[in-house]
Amino acid sequence: MKRGFGLRGNVHLGRANLAPKAREPDYRKLVENVEIAWIPMQDGRKLAARLLLPRDATARPVPAILEYIPYRRRDGTRVRDDETHYWYAANGYGSARVDIAGSGDSEGLVDDEYVKREQDDALEIINWLSKQPWCSGSVGMIGISWGGFNGLQVAARRPPELKAVVSLCSTVDRYNDDVHFMGGCLLNDTFDWGGYFFQILGLPPDPEIVGERKWRQMWKSRIDSMECPVATWMEHQTRDAFWQHGSVIEDYSAIQVPVLCASGWVDGYTAAVFQTVEGLGAPSKGIAGPWGHKYPHQGVPGPAIGFLQETKRWWDRWLKGIETGVEKDPAIRVWAQDSLKPKPHHDERPGCWIGLPTWPSPAIQTRKLHLAGAALSRAASKRASESRSICSPLTTGLSSGEWCAYGLGKIAPELALDQRQDDAGSVVWDGPKLQDAVTIVGRPVAYLRLAADKPQAQVCVRLNTIHPDGTVERISYGLLNLSHRESHAKPKPLKKGQYYDVIVELKHIAQSVPAGHRLRLAISTSYFPMAWPSPELATVTIDGTASRLDLPVLTSGRDLPRVRFEPVDHAPIAPVTVKDPGGETREVHFDIASERTTFRHARNDGTFVIDDIGTEVSLTKTKEFSIRRDDPTSASSRVHCTTRFRRGSWDAHAESEVLMTCDKTHFHLEAFHKTRDHGKPFAERRFKRSFPRDHL
């Protein structure tokens, strides 16, 4: 996940590319594995690193590639890391996987996401790497999600040794384009990710690395000092200085090294691909594929690409000074996917690659679609006023899929379903049958004139395509908390019955819609379980005569450059022995008597042994989002996690839970984190807090 570790989070089980490739290099002979390297900080702390180096690097120094995250390099991301970092080392780079302070085996404490101390430590790490005898002095940063975030954030601090960044599934705006908020609406991923992050904070170091005398002391210190991150975030419900910190959108000019940014259409972090290229300018580049929250060489839905080779072209150019032609690559390369009947999971997504030499692109023109009566029309309505109202059932949104599809291959369904159920709780405008195919590339934007009968309300705007058989496929969507219509920093309540002109930005997308389909715009006042509901049921009235949808349409692809990528390549995954494969379910339960609907996702990564180090790892995570169809104050979110590490005499178990409920005026949080050593209680933390609702 943004997040997450464990066998299921790192191995694409059941995929063909797990099989050994023909004539595969002997990576273990080519690469030296330094299991633990201690990086000293100026304040006396030591951070734990795993180094994978070319065996001749001391004689022939190479650039360093840093990945810097809190997900336990030794027994968390190791399976995934071996694929990537062994490959880099075998191809002429030294790789460093470093645990952020307070995570894995690193000393200190995890304060929160993306804090200044994390960045300060990164500056020291980069300097240390550049001075190692095996390093040429040049350093690059790579990472997905957290590691993609801090790659951009550290680049903005301008360490002189950092020459380039590869940032995947990341954001430039921590408030509006992370798991916390979307259009000022509170995402339930705040509690999903927050519950898991809370679990990470209390995990122990490895006794084999830090020592038998020290590991319990470090573990106890982590638990005694931990805070519940959800509580911290709920204290900042608007876009204040807390969220501005680490949001590089505040000053793109601070980043002066080349950035390659990549993400996928069903990832939650698509926007950064376009925003970084537009904000940073050349030589930065972007790639957007059909994938979820995964490295593109592991990309699901497919097709996956040879992304490691693509990054090697990037590293070769900016870390070694080799002319690889990356400057001549299109500014943005996107997978223009074909329309496909919605299913909860796709292994592959048909389509083709499109190269856009510049971004924004002159090959894309805006097509204005007006809300005329109940129709979506290229001609504006001639009527003076044409209003339609909606007060959606609070379960509108059950067909949304995940805000961020982690696309792990074996995992149960995550994608958006047939939209007819959600359309039934929405007001819709349908276009005519398309006479010619339309390729949408970019960010659709809805301009709406609307009014509400309550001071607080939200809208979800969905762009759908209606297949000839009546199936409805979601193309893109956007959310807006209407009190945030002017500003995420200074929201204002609505005045009952007063009309406002608002802008709802939908997610970026590249998709072809064939002739014979119809486009549909759907607007609802709820999108649960993705977004927390407003405190009261609100009816929103849309004046169609003053509303429209701006659709970015590719005028012609004939003159665009051809795009191709190498086939998927990577080093073998770390060898593991699976003792229990686990399982996963996603289900919706409806209690007729109470009219309460509960969405439940239960993930059991099973139990596996990392053969290289003999550590047995188990992980479970369950999330439940629940609501009654007509009572916003009935909303609740519960996330429960367990983790266990065993090896020889080491047997450490952690369990945590975060529960969020609400009433009309407050959010209410209850959380616990408790641990066991050999089955006996070790340390525990509990939290109980309430937070006034600040225009949410």
Side-chain angles (χ1 to χ4, degrees), residues 590-601:
F590 178 61
D591 185 304
I592 295 175
S594 65
E595 291 192 302
R596 177 174 285 275
T597 298
T598 301
F599 169 82
R600 186 174 190 270
H601 169 208

Side-chain angles (χ1 to χ4, degrees), residues 222-252:
R222 291 177 181 182
I223 298 163
D224 290 347
S225 303
M226 72 189 305
E227 297 294 333
C228 182
V230 174
T232 302
W233 304 334
M234 293 305 293
E235 292 172 347
H236 302 274
Q237 297 174 32
T238 60
R239 195 175 191 280
D240 58 11
F242 178 84
W243 301 110
Q244 291 169 359
H245 167 77
S247 294
V248 299
I249 196 173
E250 296 290 314
D251 181 12
Y252 281 123

Side-chain angles (χ1 to χ4, degrees), residues 364-370 376 378 434 438-447 463-464 475-476 506-507 509 511 513 519-521 548-554:
I364 298 169
Q365 294 184 356
T366 299
R367 180 176 296 182
K368 299 182 187 299
L369 301 177
H370 301 273
L376 194 61
R378 297 187 73 170
L434 294 174
V438 173
T439 300
I440 302 164
V441 180
R443 166 168 263 169
V445 180
Y447 296 85
L463 173 62
N464 299 332
I475 298 173
S476 184
L506 281 62
K507 286 193 62 173
I509 190 64
Q511 179 163 329
V513 183
L519 294 176
R520 167 176 285 175
L521 187 72
R548 73 175 194 271
L549 174 71
D550 281 6
L551 204 61
V553 175
L554 185 68

Side-chain angles (χ1 to χ4, degrees), residues 555-672:
T555 55
S556 174
R558 286 194 297 268
D559 297 327
L560 297 178
R562 296 183 62 184
V563 173
R564 66 178 298 273
F565 293 100
E566 295 293 326
V568 171
D569 192 19
H570 54 77
I573 63 171
V576 297
T577 299
V578 178
K579 301 179 73 172
D580 174 8
E584 183 149 359
T585 59
R586 293 174 189 263
E587 58 191 16
V588 177
H589 175 77
F590 178 61
D591 185 304
I592 295 175
S594 65
E595 291 192 302
R596 177 174 285 275
T597 298
T598 301
F599 169 82
R600 186 174 190 270
H601 169 208
R603 166 185 171 184
N604 178 2
D605 280 14
T607 301
F608 62 96
V609 177
I610 302 172
D611 295 345
D612 283 353
I613 58 175
T615 303
E616 180 182 291
V617 182
S618 304
L619 171 69
T620 69
K621 176 172 166 285
T622 301
K623 65 179 180 184
E624 293 182 343
F625 303 138
S626 179
I627 201 167
R628 290 180 58 191
R629 72 187 308 273
D630 59 355
D631 180 8
T633 64
S634 68
S636 69
S637 167
R638 183 191 303 269
V639 178
H640 184 272
C641 300
T642 66
T643 311
R644 189 175 186 180
F645 302 100
R646 292 199 295 180
R647 185 190 59 242
S649 61
W650 184 37
D651 185 355
H653 183 277
E655 177 185 7
S656 65
E657 183 171 286
V658 174
L659 171 66
M660 182 65 75
T661 58
C662 71
D663 55 35
K664 188 176 177 179
T665 61
H666 286 76
F667 295 99
H668 305 289
L669 170 73
E670 294 184 45
F672 70 78

Side-chain angles (χ1 to χ4, degrees), residues 7-23:
L7 180 63
R8 299 277 297 289
N10 296 300
V11 184
H12 12 288
L13 296 171
R15 289 186 50 199
N17 66 356
L18 269 179
K21 297 181 288 295
R23 299 176 184 175

Side-chain angles (χ1 to χ4, degrees), residues 342 388-393 395-400 416-430 460-467 470-477 518-527:
R388 303 177 68 191
S389 299
I390 184 66
C391 179
S392 302
T395 49
T396 304
L398 285 172
S399 301
S400 67
L417 306 176
D418 189 323
Q419 296 294 289
R420 283 178 283 193
Q421 178 180 345
D422 285 347
D423 286 352
S426 309
V427 58
V428 302
W429 290 263
D430 292 346
C460 173
V461 179
R462 288 176 290 119
L463 173 62
N464 299 332
T465 176
I466 308 171
H467 290 242
T471 303
V472 181
E473 175 192 1
R474 192 186 71 192
I475 298 173
S476 184
Y477 71 97
R518 288 182 292 157
L519 294 176
R520 167 176 285 175
L521 187 72
I523 299 178
S524 61
T525 57
S526 175
Y527 211 48

Side-chain angles (χ1 to χ4, degrees), residues 163-164 257-260 277 281-286 310-333 356-359 561:
K163 305 302 183 182
V257 297
V259 174
L260 175 62
V277 172
S284 297
K285 306 291 182 180
E310 197 63 25
T311 61
K312 184 177 184 297
R313 294 178 64 228
W314 197 254
W315 301 133
D316 283 353
R317 175 65 184 93
W318 304 117
L319 302 187
K320 291 184 176 180
I322 300 172
E323 295 292 338
T324 61
V326 293
E327 299 100 319
K328 298 178 182 179
D329 289 342
I332 298 277
R333 287 168 283 180
L356 301 169
T358 59
W359 187 261

